[in-house]
Amino acid sequence: MKIKEIMCREVKSLSPEMSVKEAWELLSQMEISGLPVIDKEGKLLGMFTEKDILKKIFPGYLDKVGRFVYEENPKGIKKKVSEFEKLKVKELMRLEVITVDEDTALCEVARIMLTQKVRRIPVLNKEKKVVGIIARQDVLRGLLGDFR
Amino acid sequence: MKKIALKLFFQLAISLSIGILGYKWGLNFSQALSLSVFILSILGTLFFWDFRLSFAFLGTSLLLLTHTIDLENLIKFSSLEVILFLVGMMVLIGFLKEGGFFAWLVSIILRMRKLTATKFLISISIISALLACAVDEVTSIIFMVVAILEICDYFEVNPSPFVISSVLATNIGSSGTVLGNPIGILIATKSGLTFEDFIFKAFPLMLVSLAVTILIIRFWYHKPLEELDKKIKELGANEILVRLISVPPEKILKVALGIFGLTLCFISLHHRLEIILGLAPNTILLLVPLISSGLVMFWRWKKARAYIEKDVEWWTLLFFLMLFAQSGTLKYTGATDVFARRISALVGHNLIFLTGCLLWLSCFGSSILDNVVLVAAFIPVVQGFASLGFSLRPLWWALLFGACYGGNITLVGSTANIVALGLLEKEKEIRIKFLQWLGIGLIVGIVTTALAWYYLAIIYPKM
């Protein structure tokens, strides 16, 4: 089975100029953790996820410090949250995005998801435009349906 | 691309020219080739930091291919004992981190009561220096910067002066014991100097240099310190900071503290134990981290592989291994004996003058080069002075102090500087400029090296 048979073709996306606040509200409404960022021509610019927001708010050295418990909310974090409305999606989005084309086999997408630890992958056509998106749930649906 | 090609051209041209000059100067072909390859690796660290291992691998292969050194001697000179010591320490530090030891230290700094700017400066400087003495400069600086950023965030002041102060203190502190810096253990193993020697000869000078550095910083950064004092008065006590983080007092933290304490204890007693047990010098010193990390991996057997794979910096260690082998080749071919003879003739066989030259040369050299690279280059030369009747001890100290203190001069002078400034840029988007660092760095670097010079020329001969 090829992923073009099961991928979601109605791709909701974000614009790079959108504010982070708006983008987060959209993610929240859709109850998903991330969306692709696409320009006016439909070309993929990056990926924006809830994790990127958290990474921006919290210091990058958390894992370097080792085990500890936050007993209070640090002042610096409150400050970063307050500055959030000024930020745009393009400032936070991840630029290195794993993509696949429409003719990729379902098992290959599953392999990529497992090895690269990604939840959803944008699907590009030959002109490098986003034509769909495939999530872990789609892969499972395709696999269980295919092998049943 | 043009810039890279140009840098590569310069790297090759300089290494080749130095080799040819050496040949004209009296080196034989093998000696000149080993010199060229070593310079190629050193320049690789200067021009292409991310490719340094690639240059080291290729250079070492070239030395083997051209019969400049054989495999047996290459392995002998690669200083496996130092690499194993560092592996053991890295596993132990990984375990300490996992146990929450460093987070606990950060929480202690955050809990400072009745804070004033001067108290803060003195505290972070002393803790930075002592922590560098106990673990190593790179591990130490990460936790110090974390604590400084949190405190500066709370009081809404620019953290740069305090981060720079902590780095300066860390580099000075790293000369205090064999554990402070990879060059400490490297010098100890090559010279036979013990932990006790470091405590009696290097640690007191480190403390004096630290005190002088704090005074210089107090004067240099008086405006940011006044600003912090003002903010402390304005915002009141650091109540949120006091409670900000905690480390659960679980078994792993207690065991981590116990193992670390015992490791430090045995390392400090290694010389006595070696005499009692009839072991070769520094055997216990090298064994203790291996025993401690062995015990850690036995107790935390499910995580043992992660300690080795994630906490040990194989990239750096492999580079050291190749670099030591290449500098050993200079000794093997006899090139360093030629240098030692020529340098000795130049300084008129005067030990005090030679010590001063080596001290200043290593100081300014390590302001540009990684200090491990510099020390690895000088070790066989220093060893070459033994056959000329020189007492080597002051020369080893000169190498240690010069390489550690010189690291303060520029912002690329030591790994601690690069790590701290990287964190500052990533977390606060503050980029320290070369000249901004050079002002305070040069003063501290020169004053502390001058102190070391006075110590080695006047005080040390009477000890």
Side-chain angles (χ1 to χ4, degrees):
Chain A
M1 183 188 273
K2 305 287 182 193
I3 56 162
K4 64 183 169 194
E5 296 169 45
I6 55 158
M7 70 184 188
C8 170
R9 288 180 186 275
E10 283 174 31
V11 185
K12 276 270 180 194
S13 65
L14 302 171
S15 127
E17 297 299 327
M18 203 177 214
S19 79
V20 169
K21 193 170 175 255
E22 279 175 287
W24 179 74
E25 277 166 3
L26 191 63
L27 291 182
S28 187
Q29 267 172 25
M30 293 175 70
E31 294 181 350
I32 53 168
S33 60
L35 280 172
V37 184
I38 295 172
D39 67 9
K40 282 171 190 162
E41 281 96 51
K43 288 196 176 163
L44 184 71
L45 296 174
M47 199 76 181
F48 180 85
T49 64
E50 288 171 344
K51 194 177 169 186
D52 298 319
I53 304 177
L54 281 175
K55 273 169 86 176
K56 178 72 185 174
I57 297 174
F58 282 85
Y61 50 68
L62 286 182
D63 63 327
K64 288 195 176 89
V65 180
R67 210 167 48 108
F68 72 91
V69 177
Y70 269 127
E71 300 283 359
E72 292 279 340
N73 297 325
K75 209 171 166 184
I77 291 175
K78 283 181 198 165
K79 198 178 159 206
K80 278 189 182 172
V81 172
S82 68
E83 288 166 354
F84 227 68
E85 286 184 23
K86 296 174 208 157
L87 283 174
K88 288 184 175 171
V89 165
K90 66 178 177 188
E91 293 170 76
L92 256 68
M93 68 184 184
R94 210 167 0 101
L95 298 173
E96 280 172 28
V97 186
I98 295 166
T99 59
V100 287
D101 65 53
E102 295 168 278
D103 291 319
T104 310
L106 186 62
C107 286
E108 172 57 12
V109 174
R111 188 194 67 79
I112 293 172
M113 283 179 169
L114 280 173
T115 55
Q116 306 294 316
K117 292 174 184 151
V118 285
R119 287 180 176 194
R120 60 184 60 76
I121 305 177
V123 184
L124 307 185
N125 65 10
K126 280 174 189 154
E127 286 80 43
K128 302 289 172 197
K129 286 186 178 173
V130 181
V131 289
I133 194 157
I134 184 148
R136 234 166 12 197
Q137 206 175 36
D138 303 321
V139 173
L140 268 175
R141 207 179 296 125
L143 275 174
L144 296 177
D146 204 31
F147 289 105
R148 206 176 282 159
Chain B
M1 200 64 197
K2 236 182 186 175
K3 206 176 160 188
I4 293 174
L6 202 68
K7 276 206 254 179
L8 197 64
F9 170 76
F10 272 117
Q11 187 187 0
L12 289 169
I14 294 170
S15 348
L16 210 64
S17 311
I18 290 177
I20 293 168
L21 274 176
Y23 189 68
K24 297 266 181 199
W25 196 49
L27 296 179
N28 64 29
F29 179 74
S30 297
Q31 290 168 344
L33 181 68
S34 59
L35 179 64
S36 261
V37 169
F38 189 63
I39 298 290
L40 188 79
S41 287
I42 289 182
L43 293 178
T45 66
L46 204 60
F47 293 155
F48 303 98
W49 182 247
D50 291 336
F51 295 87
R52 63 193 187 280
L53 196 54
S54 168
F55 285 114
F57 271 40
L58 293 172
T60 309
S61 307
L62 186 67
L63 291 174
L64 282 169
L65 268 174
T66 52
H67 299 279
T68 310
I69 193 165
D70 55 36
L71 204 53
E72 195 185 334
N73 279 294
L74 185 96
I75 292 165
K76 189 179 131 193
F77 285 116
S78 60
S79 302
L80 273 176
E81 71 281 11
V82 175
I83 303 294
L84 286 175
F85 175 89
L86 294 173
V87 168
M89 284 307 290
M90 284 174 180
V91 169
L92 192 60
I93 284 163
F95 174 61
L96 284 174
K97 194 175 92 176
E98 190 200 353
F101 173 72
F102 296 108
W104 174 70
L105 281 179
V106 171
S107 73
I108 286 177
I109 299 171
L110 300 184
R111 273 176 209 161
M112 256 188 279
R113 295 276 183 180
K114 290 178 186 165
L115 204 65
T116 64
T118 307
K119 188 179 170 185
F120 179 52
L121 173 71
I122 294 172
S123 308
I124 58 166
S125 303
I126 293 175
I127 299 170
S128 300
L130 295 182
L131 193 58
C133 276
V135 280
D136 70 282
E137 55 166 9
V138 178
T139 309
S140 150
I141 196 65
I142 292 172
F143 304 104
M144 290 312 300
V145 172
V146 168
I148 291 168
L149 292 185
E150 288 294 348
I151 291 174
C152 290
D153 251 3
Y154 182 84
F155 289 110
E156 297 162 8
V157 289
N158 179 3
S160 310
F162 304 101
V163 169
I164 294 174
S165 307
S166 173
V167 175
L168 296 173
T170 299
N171 284 327
I172 289 167
S174 73
S175 68
T177 70
V178 283
L179 303 170
N181 198 307
I183 62 169
I185 187 69
L186 189 59
I187 289 174
T189 52
K190 302 301 166 192
S191 63
L193 291 171
T194 64
F195 190 89
E196 273 181 41
D197 291 325
F198 273 73
I199 291 295
F200 291 120
K201 303 282 163 60
F203 195 78
L205 178 67
M206 182 279 284
L207 289 180
V208 174
S209 302
L210 180 67
V212 172
T213 302
I214 294 172
L215 286 175
I216 296 171
I217 295 171
R218 178 74 189 83
F219 175 75
W220 187 267
Y221 286 130
H222 66 98
K223 275 188 185 162
L225 287 166
E226 280 165 17
E227 172 76 6
L228 177 60
D229 264 333
K230 220 161 81 184
K231 284 283 183 181
I232 291 171
K233 278 181 194 147
E234 195 183 309
L235 295 166
N238 49 330
E239 285 309 318
I240 295 178
L241 280 178
V242 170
R243 298 189 304 267
L244 184 63
I245 64 169
S246 72
V247 180
E250 286 172 10
K251 194 178 167 189
I252 182 170
L253 177 61
K254 289 174 191 162
V255 176
L257 282 171
I259 290 185
F260 185 55
L262 279 174
T263 305
L264 288 185
C265 185
F266 278 107
I267 283 178
S268 60
L269 292 172
H270 79 96
H271 182 54
R272 309 274 157 189
L273 292 169
E274 281 150 10
I275 293 170
I276 294 166
L277 298 170
L279 292 166
N282 287 341
T283 308
I284 299 273
L285 173 68
L286 298 166
L287 272 182
V288 171
L290 290 184
I291 294 172
S292 305
S293 54
L295 290 173
V296 165
M297 287 190 285
F298 184 77
W299 185 51
R300 309 278 294 170
W301 62 275
K302 281 184 184 169
K303 291 229 166 177
R305 191 177 278 269
Y307 290 135
I308 294 292
E309 287 175 358
K310 288 181 185 160
D311 292 316
V312 178
E313 282 189 49
W314 290 107
W315 173 269
T316 308
L317 293 183
L318 281 171
F319 173 69
F320 286 173
L321 193 123
M322 294 288 152
L323 187 79
F324 300 157
Q326 287 183 12
S327 77
T329 310
L330 289 173
K331 190 183 176 192
Y332 177 73
T333 57
T336 47
D337 293 332
V338 178
F339 299 147
R341 275 200 302 275
R342 295 287 175 105
I343 295 168
S344 163
L346 272 175
V347 299
H349 299 277
N350 182 330
L351 179 64
I352 291 182
F353 187 52
L354 179 63
T355 308
C357 288
L358 188 65
L359 177 75
W360 286 104
L361 204 62
S362 52
C363 167
F364 287 112
S366 79
S367 69
I368 308 161
L369 287 174
D370 182 84
N371 56 16
V372 180
V373 175
L374 184 102
V375 169
F378 274 117
I379 279 176
V381 182
V382 172
Q383 285 170 331
F385 288 122
S387 59
L388 301 170
F390 283 103
S391 161
L392 296 192
R393 289 216 159 190
L395 299 177
W396 292 123
W397 294 124
L399 197 55
L400 176 82
F401 296 133
C404 289
Y405 294 176
N408 275 335
I409 294 179
T410 66
L411 47 78
V412 292
S414 98
T415 319
N417 309 11
I418 296 167
V419 169
L421 298 189
L423 276 171
L424 190 62
E425 192 175 343
K426 197 175 165 204
E427 300 304 330
K428 298 287 154 211
E429 290 163 13
I430 297 173
R431 177 173 274 212
I432 304 285
K433 293 189 181 99
F434 188 83
L435 288 177
Q436 194 184 345
W437 179 288
L438 193 69
I440 180 81
L442 193 65
I443 295 172
V444 168
I446 287 182
V447 170
T448 50
T449 308
L451 273 174
W453 195 20
Y454 177 79
Y455 170 72
L456 290 173
I458 312 289
I459 302 171
Y460 187 81
K462 294 176 191 161
M463 284 170 90

